[in-house]
Amino acid sequence: MNSRLEGIRSLFSIEVALNLVHAAKLSLERAARFVKLGGSIGERAREQCETIFVILLHTLGPKHVKAGFDTAVDHLSKYNPREVSEHGHTGVAPLITFLELVNVGDLIQQMVDVFYEQELVATKLTDRNDFLDPAVKEKKRFEQMLDERVAAGLNKGIDVLMDEVDFICATTQATTDFNPGASGDANNRVIDVGPSKTALQVVEVVSSHTKMLVGSTEKNMLDVFNQEVGLRLFTTLCKHLKRQRISVDGSIKLISDMNHYFTYIQTLRNQDLLQYFIALRELSQIYLVDPAHAKELATIIADGDRFHGIFRAEEVYEFAERRADWYQVRRSVERAMYGIGCYVM
């Protein structure tokens, strides 16, 4: 994996792009001198200047940036968190490297924009409003290629990031985090009301990757990426919750975890996404209800408005089954929800 990552870092670089742009600038300056002659010679010289720009984008695009992104995405798709011996708090190594390539790609695009504006538009060698102009068409094609490669990588990056989150949840969440009684120690009670180690690590890993895109991608693409990460995180946490056994004492730690996730999602400033984690925070309350108040628990389960339409009553019931005392309260809950003698199959 380390050798593969080193290969990704050498896929394309800002130095190579600078050298190519500089060489194109020198060639364009030589050809531009003949434009002043006017007539057919001047027109052919102007077309040659546009051709130089087109060749520059061909070299930077398919031969350099596109090939680099394609290889990086391929390496990213082969990442398996279970094959990595060390999982640091710095994040997913191949995804971090890809995000660094996104930053480099953004710098290269800015270089192309400056070159186009200063060397072609300002000198009136091309008309940016002529959509049939070869230079304009090639520039749009280059920008589209870059956006597509970044989007493909981010899509794969979300898959990899969620695999890492799932791995962290599966390997770091102790059984006693949400069910202190599982240790067999009758005196064991939750003292630390803060979030668990797992919640802290998950938020740190996810936030470190989302922050890397700020300033290097368009706001629309960043918003879509953050929303998709948030929704996938919500789904992963729901699956993780269904694998746990949660006691009344342990619910305090669970509520702390859900509050920690909610606080992170608030930083993304997406109200639609926030509703999912408000519902998740409300869901954690069903484990805090004392077994003696089964009727109250049934009322919470059946209250669809409480979960903002995110969870149906049947889904909340499935989460309630993860209570450590479920077999003690099941009959009372079902009697309150469905009536005496009626059971959910």
Side-chain angles (χ1 to χ4, degrees):
M1 176 59 70
N2 288 332
S3 61
R4 186 183 300 163
L5 295 179
E6 290 299 328
I8 290 178
R9 293 189 179 94
S10 63
L11 289 174
F12 62 81
S13 68
I14 195 70
E15 290 81 11
V16 172
L18 278 170
N19 292 334
L20 290 171
V21 170
H22 182 67
K25 184 175 184 296
L26 294 177
S27 299
L28 193 144
E29 288 175 348
R30 288 194 295 268
R33 294 174 184 173
F34 294 93
V35 177
K36 299 176 183 178
L37 296 177
S40 60
I41 296 178
E43 179 60 22
R44 289 174 61 186
R46 188 191 67 79
E47 292 176 355
Q48 184 63 30
C49 290
E50 290 187 329
T51 301
I52 292 172
F53 180 70
V54 170
I55 292 174
L56 170 65
L57 294 188
H58 275 166
T59 306
L60 273 177
K63 295 182 179 180
H64 190 55
V65 175
K66 183 178 182 297
F69 268 122
D70 287 345
T71 305
V73 172
D74 180 63
H75 289 170
L76 191 60
S77 65
K78 295 177 181 177
Y79 176 79
N80 186 346
R82 289 158 183 78
E83 295 178 353
V84 179
S85 58
E86 296 182 3
H87 292 264
H89 293 279
T90 55
V92 183
L95 181 54
I96 289 176
T97 304
F98 176 81
L99 296 178
E100 290 173 352
L101 292 184
V102 173
N103 292 330
V104 175
D106 181 64
L107 289 175
I108 291 176
Q109 184 172 350
Q110 292 180 35
M111 289 168 50
V112 170
D113 289 339
V114 172
F115 180 86
Y116 177 76
E117 292 293 333
Q118 293 183 353
E119 304 299 330
L120 292 172
V121 176
T123 56
K124 298 182 179 180
L125 294 174
T126 190
D127 181 6
R128 68 158 68 95
N129 297 319
D130 183 3
F131 64 92
L132 294 177
D133 187 272
V136 175
K137 290 168 63 177
E138 192 60 36
K139 185 172 183 292
K140 289 182 178 179
R141 189 177 294 114
F142 175 81
E143 293 171 348
Q144 182 180 2
M145 176 277 301
L146 193 58
D147 289 341
E148 289 175 352
R149 293 303 94 198
V150 170
L154 292 182
N155 185 53
K156 180 57 65 175
I158 292 173
D159 292 339
V160 171
L161 183 58
M162 289 304 108
D163 285 345
E164 184 74 10
V165 169
D166 190 54
F167 180 80
I168 292 172
C169 290
T171 58
T172 65
Q173 194 83 72
T175 305
T176 54
D177 283 347
F178 303 144
N179 188 13
S183 65
D185 184 359
N187 297 320
N188 188 17
R189 290 293 182 271
V190 176
I191 299 176
D192 180 14
V193 296
S196 67
K197 173 186 174 182
T198 300
L200 293 172
Q201 191 170 343
V202 166
V203 169
E204 184 174 357
V205 167
V206 175
S207 63
S208 65
H209 290 87
T210 54
K211 287 177 182 178
M212 290 185 68
L213 286 174
V214 177
S216 63
T217 57
E218 295 181 356
K219 185 179 184 301
N220 290 338
M221 183 178 291
L222 181 62
D223 290 342
V224 170
F225 178 78
N226 286 340
Q227 180 164 346
E228 185 63 21
V229 167
L231 290 174
R232 294 281 295 276
L233 177 62
F234 170 82
T235 302
T236 299
L237 292 177
C238 287
K239 291 180 180 178
H240 177 60
L241 196 56
K242 289 183 178 180
R243 293 195 294 260
Q244 308 304 308
R245 186 62 70 180
I246 306 157
S247 66
V248 174
D249 290 336
S251 66
I252 299 175
K253 176 70 72 175
L254 176 64
I255 292 172
S256 297
D257 279 9
M258 296 306 142
N259 284 332
H260 189 60
Y261 294 126
F262 174 81
T263 301
Y264 162 66
I265 295 299
Q266 280 184 311
T267 65
L268 301 182
R269 299 179 181 178
N270 186 318
Q271 289 302 315
D272 293 336
L273 183 60
L274 198 61
Q275 295 302 311
Y276 286 86
F277 285 83
I278 290 176
L280 200 58
R281 191 172 61 175
E282 289 294 329
L283 182 67
S284 64
Q285 301 290 329
I286 66 175
Y287 303 102
L288 188 60
V289 179
D290 190 272
H293 301 143
K295 186 176 181 179
E296 181 182 343
L297 178 59
T299 301
I300 295 175
I301 293 174
D303 186 2
D305 294 337
R306 185 185 187 97
F307 305 103
H308 306 278
I310 304 298
F311 295 113
R312 293 177 289 114
E314 294 83 357
E315 293 174 314
V316 179
Y317 181 90
E318 291 178 0
F319 284 104
E321 290 179 320
R322 304 314 301 165
R323 286 179 60 109
D325 57 6
W326 177 245
Y327 292 106
Q328 301 173 26
V329 302
R330 175 182 176 181
R331 181 183 294 272
S332 299
V333 170
E334 291 180 349
R335 181 182 295 113
M337 291 181 66
Y338 308 111
I340 298 176
C342 184
Y343 297 92
V344 174
M345 301 302 292

